[in-house]
Amino acid sequence: MSAPPRLAATLFSFTNELLAAEHPPDALLDGLLRAEPDVAVEIDAAQHLRSYPLLDLDEVRRTAAVVAAAGGSASLLGAGADVAPGPGPLASDDERLAQLRSQVAAASALGAEGLRIPFGVLGWDVLAAAAADAREAGVLILEEVQGPADPAGGAIASRIDDLERTGETAVRLLLDTSALMSGLPPSYVDAVRAEGVPGELLDRLADALAERRVAPVVLPALGDDSLTPAAHALLITALTRFGAAPASAWLPLAPWIAAVHVKWWDLESAARDLAGEAGAVIDGLLAAGLPGTVCSEWGGHEWQGLEVAARDQVAAHLTLLRNRFRATSPHFGTKPT
């Protein structure tokens, strides 16, 4: 497999377009590959492939043909085992492993450098078994850490201990820069205000994010019946997806971080984050020899509808990334005209 591209965009940014179902996922994939020919595309299996989580290689190969026809490349396949497929018992380890093995094979069929899965969902025994398949296929299994994840916490320390103890090379971390936010995104603040959340609560939430203590502010608010369900959902987003650790807390983990998601919600906060700790951690990881991609991921679709086109948002953010890191990484190049 060739060296991975350094700049990528994920189709997860097109969640609203995928949900609208006006165009099939492969058409959106083709459009992004042709609009951004210097950029690899990450495909989210749960949104793109009907056979998820036990992926059908024939279906995957049809998508791989779309990538090839556009002259593009896939960076990662986003997937992960479905541990609770329905009412009743959770999926067994054997079932989880079968799903993961099918996803490793799918990532290989796409020519992707890796398979992205949520951090901590799978135990080490399952990961280690799937890693044997990944090594043979030349694919990395990347556990994504994001938002409130603690780089010095026990869960991440335990995984690094697994890697050091076994010498496993096919499992690494993917760092999502939602873990290094500079503050509440303006579009998020507008959305929460529109749902009637009091300004005083928003002020406390902004302070809590900066101080890395969001839970004590959000959890009591979730019991407030005067707030709308949409307000509760937005507050849960802050609880589960926002974080503000400094770059200095994450950079000691550089040997174990193989790719980055540059999470952003609006262009104003994106520029601010890239000028702050998120930009600093990417600088540090690139200097340390980051082996995988730096991928744009727009999350603002959660509270903004189809009137805000993902394609325009992603194009503008990719320009921000090129301008911010061109001097640091010549691999980013420039957008062809």
Side-chain angles (χ1 to χ4, degrees):
M1 186 168 59
S2 62
R6 302 298 276 168
L7 189 61
T10 176
L11 275 180
F12 184 75
S13 299
F14 290 72
T15 292
N16 287 341
E17 285 83 350
L18 288 161
L19 291 174
E22 294 178 359
H23 305 283
D26 278 345
L28 293 171
L29 170 63
D30 179 77
L32 180 55
L33 287 165
R34 295 182 188 277
E36 303 290 346
D38 62 327
V39 172
V41 175
E42 177 182 309
I43 297 167
D44 192 271
Q47 293 183 329
H48 204 104
L49 300 168
R50 291 184 180 275
S51 57
Y52 173 84
L54 194 62
L55 296 181
D56 173 26
L57 277 181
D58 286 338
E59 181 186 22
V60 174
R61 290 185 184 111
R62 289 193 291 272
T63 293
V66 173
V67 176
S73 60
S75 57
L76 299 177
L77 177 66
D82 185 357
V83 301
L90 298 178
S92 68
D93 280 355
D94 286 345
E95 290 169 325
R96 298 178 194 198
L97 179 57
Q99 292 176 22
L100 205 58
R101 281 176 164 157
S102 79
Q103 293 162 15
V104 167
S108 178
L110 286 167
E113 68 200 56
L115 174 71
R116 174 180 55 81
I117 65 174
F119 177 80
V121 172
L122 297 175
W124 179 249
D125 288 347
V126 173
L127 276 178
D133 295 68
R135 285 195 307 277
E136 184 175 350
V139 169
L140 284 177
I141 297 174
L142 301 174
E143 288 191 286
E144 181 178 7
V145 289
Q146 59 180 307
D150 181 359
I156 291 177
S158 177
R159 178 62 76 239
I160 291 173
D161 179 67
D162 291 330
L163 296 172
E164 289 182 325
R165 172 175 47 82
T166 63
E168 180 56 68
T169 58
V171 178
R172 288 294 183 264
L173 301 177
L174 181 150
L175 175 61
D176 187 296
T177 62
S178 59
L180 301 103
M181 293 168 61
S182 56
L184 295 177
S187 62
Y188 174 83
V189 171
D190 291 344
V192 174
R193 281 179 174 154
E195 290 298 327
V197 172
E200 183 270 338
L201 176 56
L202 264 174
D203 290 342
R204 286 194 290 119
L205 180 58
D207 291 341
L209 175 59
E211 297 167 7
R212 302 170 67 186
R213 52 173 187 83
V214 169
V217 173
V218 168
L219 290 176
L222 296 181
D224 185 348
D225 293 337
S226 70
L227 297 178
T228 67
H232 286 158
L234 288 166
L235 291 171
I236 290 172
T237 292
L239 177 67
T240 58
R241 295 176 63 194
F242 291 179
S248 60
W250 283 103
L251 285 174
L253 304 185
W256 312 109
I257 296 172
V260 175
H261 268 184
V262 188
K263 178 68 67 60
W264 60 286
W265 286 269
D266 50 58
L267 291 170
E268 180 180 343
S269 60
R272 189 174 63 204
D273 290 348
L274 289 175
E277 297 300 315
V281 83
I282 297 170
D283 280 334
L285 292 173
L286 290 171
L290 180 76
T293 48
V294 174
C295 180
S296 170
E297 181 184 29
W298 181 46
H301 55 74
E302 184 176 337
W303 50 83
Q304 295 182 341
L306 282 169
E307 69 279 0
V308 182
R311 180 167 169 170
D312 296 340
Q313 295 292 300
V314 170
H317 189 249
L318 288 170
T319 296
L320 279 180
L321 291 177
R322 291 185 185 97
N323 290 339
R324 173 63 177 80
F325 298 109
R326 185 177 295 129
T328 309
S329 178
H331 301 283
F332 279 13
T334 57
K335 181 178 172 60
T337 56

